Amino acid sequence: MTLLIAITGGSGSGKTTLAEALVAAMRPGAAALLSEDDWYVDAAALPDFDPAVFDFDDVAARDHTLMTAQLAELKAGRAVDAPVYSMETHGREAFTRRIEPAEAIVVEGVHALSTPALAALYDIKVFVDTPADIRFIRRLLRDQVERGRTPDSVVDQYLKTVRPGHERFTEPTRAVADFVVADATAAVRLADPQDVLRLAAPLLVHPLIRPLLAGAAAP
């Protein structure tokens, strides 16, 4: 049976970096990394959809029904055809992505634990706790560089939907996490491998993860 690991936290918390480090620490081919973002609803297909007012930070913006069903299939050892979401069009691509079961699947996303049925699937649940100001600075820089946003638009979205959504949907999931990983680096960019390794350290000694690490004997 596939080991399901959830890594959640606020936007800019470093959850993707942590998830990537965890997968990289495992034997080649032992783990797959999935992003909750691919299970956004097909917003572009909604009547009168306007990306300027649509609340992408509400858990209702995610298709957790499909995500839960597909993760359950993967956990049972069956492949799925997962949707592929476009950040440019805010809709699903016409093609899907075939995901084969692996020994471990790591899922990262701000709402990865926000739906009870979805949260119940995971064997290990991780919450990345990063100060709000660091998270905001990281998001501000990222959205300008990677998504062509203006500083004003990033700030406006943060105040209108990102912060309220975090407080309503993401922060409460700290209570159901098995691990709370505190990012005390105050680093705007988690570029130091040693900092990332320190964040991942509590997970690498978990008895369900340790046998999957590079250098461990294959089962």
Side-chain angles (χ1 to χ4, degrees), residues 40-41 43 46 49-57 60-61 85 157 161:
Y40 267 118
V41 297
L46 298 175
F49 169 70
D50 182 350
V53 298
F54 185 81
D55 188 355
F56 292 97
D57 297 289
Y85 184 80
Q157 184 183 26
T161 65

Side-chain angles (χ1 to χ4, degrees), residues 140-183:
L140 178 64
L141 296 175
R142 180 202 68 189
D143 282 7
Q144 290 178 84
V145 173
E146 298 181 10
R147 300 179 183 176
R149 303 278 301 280
T150 66
D152 284 349
S153 71
V154 177
V155 171
D156 184 61
Q157 184 183 26
Y158 181 83
L159 294 176
K160 285 183 177 178
T161 65
V162 177
R163 186 174 68 176
H166 175 84
E167 293 172 348
R168 183 179 177 190
F169 300 112
T170 304
E171 182 63 29
T173 64
R174 174 199 297 263
V176 303
D178 301 306
F179 292 92
V180 175
V181 176
D183 179 2

